[in-house]
Amino acid sequence: MYREAETTEVTAAARRPLRMLAAAVVAMGLATGLAACGGGDDSVAVDGRTKGEALTDMKGAYDKGAITPDEYEEQREEILDE
């Protein structure tokens, strides 16, 4: 039993860098989008990705456990509101 708990801790610790990376990528994308607010086509994000591509990237990060369900929903809404 002790080894199972130890393995869980390692797995959780291994996810932290992925979550941090995903959060940083999303934050940079959102910051870029917010910095260049203006008019234009609603379907294309400022970083060159469409909203669909941004949402697909977010879903991939969520599926890999890099972000929490709450982070996914919050960032998803921000992408859709752009």
Side-chain angles (χ1 to χ4, degrees):
M1 291 269 185
Y2 180 72
R3 287 182 181 239
E4 288 179 30
E6 203 171 299
T7 303
T8 302
E9 289 179 37
V10 171
T11 303
R15 286 189 205 153
R16 278 189 218 117
L18 290 175
R19 286 185 182 183
M20 291 176 64
L21 176 61
V25 168
V26 170
M28 289 179 65
L30 292 173
T32 303
L34 294 175
C37 286
D41 185 3
D42 288 343
S43 66
V44 179
V46 175
D47 64 358
R49 298 181 302 166
T50 64
K51 287 183 180 184
E53 290 169 330
L55 291 170
T56 300
D57 292 346
M58 286 297 308
K59 179 69 171 142
Y62 172 74
D63 289 344
K64 291 178 182 177
I67 58 173
T68 65
D70 292 340
E71 291 170 320
Y72 172 76
E73 283 302 319
E74 180 182 319
Q75 294 167 7
R76 180 183 161 275
E77 289 175 17
E78 289 180 18
I79 292 168
L80 292 174
D81 290 341
E82 289 182 351

